[in-house]
């Protein structure tokens, strides 16, 4: 791994966490990050929108970062139920996940929508984590690399730099299933992503690429050691502070 690519371990809580449990979890992670005093990796918590403000306050001074799970492309206006990148920033977020496969599937988000959301993140001063990944059918049809390429080209806005972009490779079939690609498969996908990024930004070699999909405290070390893997996007295992911190330690 190039020394400029500081590993990022990001926890996506999805639609989980009421105030009491969410704050206890955030405090557990923040305390662990504070104790570890990591300067060689970053740890990010992405709670539901209702908890971003409280989690950011709980994490303040610990070194743990806070992000949103999605944002609207517009800064404000008549978009009932939506949250803008500016609102997340105002609540204390520094990052935002865009294009998660659950949003691509549940909400019909296209690459163009994801790209607009990444641009919104830039406008608000947030670092977008752009998610891409193939479905099982696409994988079985041998289309993994071409799907990644077209999602990447469609979802990453022009003007990307290493400081303004993180990409998460999340095979849809690996999310929440306990199944993962082999380490060589992860490395091959990441190498391809980096190659395609080379056509999109002059700083492709320094862009951080996260692997996501059933990362847990037992498989993290192996997955994080795969070539071109600069961290992890963690769903289920980010809901237990000890497990999430074990993954962060493995980075
Ligand atoms: C995710 O939702 O981004 C994810 C990777 O989930 P899990 O770790 O539970 O597979």
């Amino acid at each position: 791994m190039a020394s400029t690519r500081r590993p990022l371990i990001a926890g996506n809580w999805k639609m989980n966490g009421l105030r009491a449990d969410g704050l206890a979890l955030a405090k557990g992670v923040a305390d662990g990050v504070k104790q570890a005093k990591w300067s060689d990796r970053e740890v990010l918590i992405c709670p539901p929108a209702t908890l971003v403000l409280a989690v950011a306050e709980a994490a303040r001074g610990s070194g743990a970062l806070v992000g949103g799970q999605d944002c609207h492309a517009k800064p404000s206006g008549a978009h009932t139920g939506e949250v803008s990148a500016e609102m997340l920033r105002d609540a204390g977020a520094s990052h935002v996940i865009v294009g998660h496969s659950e949003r691509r599937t549940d909400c019909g988000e296209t690459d163009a929508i994801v790209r607009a959301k990444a641009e919104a993140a830039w406008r608000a001063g947030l670092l977008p984590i752009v998610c891409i990944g193939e479905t099982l059918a696409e994988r079985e049809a041998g289309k993994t690399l071409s799907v990644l390429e077209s999602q990447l080209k469609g979802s990453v806005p022009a003007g990307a730099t290493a400081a303004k972009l993180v990409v998460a490779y999340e095979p849809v079939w690996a999310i929440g299933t306990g199944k993962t690609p082999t380490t060589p498969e992860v490395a091959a996908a990441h190498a391809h992503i980096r190659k395609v990024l080379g056509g999109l930004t002059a700083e492709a070699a320094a862009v951080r690429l996260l692997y996501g999909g059933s990362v847990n405290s037992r498989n993290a070390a192996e997955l994080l050691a795969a070539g071109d893997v600069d961290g992890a996007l963690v769903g289920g295992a980010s809901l237990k502070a000890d497990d999430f911190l074990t993954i962060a330690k493995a980075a």
Side-chain angles (χ1 to χ4, degrees), residues 156-250:
V156 173
T161 63
K164 284 166 66 181
L165 178 69
V166 174
V167 174
Y169 167 52
E170 298 207 301
V172 179
W173 54 272
I175 295 179
T177 59
K179 294 179 188 154
T180 59
T182 63
T183 355
E185 285 169 342
V186 172
H190 280 228
H192 188 68
I193 291 168
R194 200 172 296 289
K195 189 173 141 215
V196 175
L197 273 178
L200 304 176
T201 163
E203 297 186 7
V207 174
R208 286 175 293 177
L209 308 184
L210 313 185
Y211 168 76
S214 296
V215 175
N216 59 42
S217 54
R218 295 171 303 285
N219 64 18
E222 189 182 343
L223 288 163
L224 286 164
D228 271 307
V229 173
D230 308 310
L233 181 51
V234 185
S238 71
L239 296 174
K240 288 199 176 131
D242 285 350
D243 285 357
F244 187 55
L245 288 166
T246 301
I247 295 168
K249 278 184 198 127

Side-chain angles (χ1 to χ4, degrees), residues 11-142:
N12 172 15
W13 293 3
K14 312 194 188 193
M15 198 172 69
N16 294 295
L18 300 181
R19 248 181 331 157
D21 287 349
L23 285 180
L25 173 57
K27 194 171 168 340
V29 172
D31 287 350
V33 171
K34 189 170 185 180
Q35 241 176 23
K37 291 194 180 78
W38 284 310
S39 57
D40 60 349
R41 72 202 70 188
E42 293 177 340
V43 177
L44 171 70
I45 308 169
C46 299
T50 50
L51 291 182
V52 169
L53 177 61
V55 167
E57 278 169 6
R60 189 178 302 143
S62 68
L65 304 163
V66 179
Q69 298 176 10
D70 176 50
C71 65
H72 195 272
K74 296 268 169 56
S76 63
H79 302 287
T80 303
E82 296 286 347
V83 174
S84 72
E86 282 78 359
M87 289 168 174
L88 292 172
R89 172 84 190 196
D90 188 48
S94 53
H95 295 58
V96 63
I97 299 168
V98 293
H100 190 283
S101 69
E102 285 154 16
R103 292 205 60 87
R104 288 180 186 262
T105 305
D106 295 357
C107 310
E109 288 191 7
T110 61
D111 290 338
I113 291 172
V114 175
R115 187 173 65 241
K117 290 183 175 202
E119 281 168 342
W122 290 354
R123 184 188 64 224
L126 298 179
L127 177 52
I129 299 173
V130 176
C131 300
I132 57 172
E134 82 286 0
T135 63
L136 186 58
E138 288 164 341
R139 184 176 194 84
E140 285 175 349

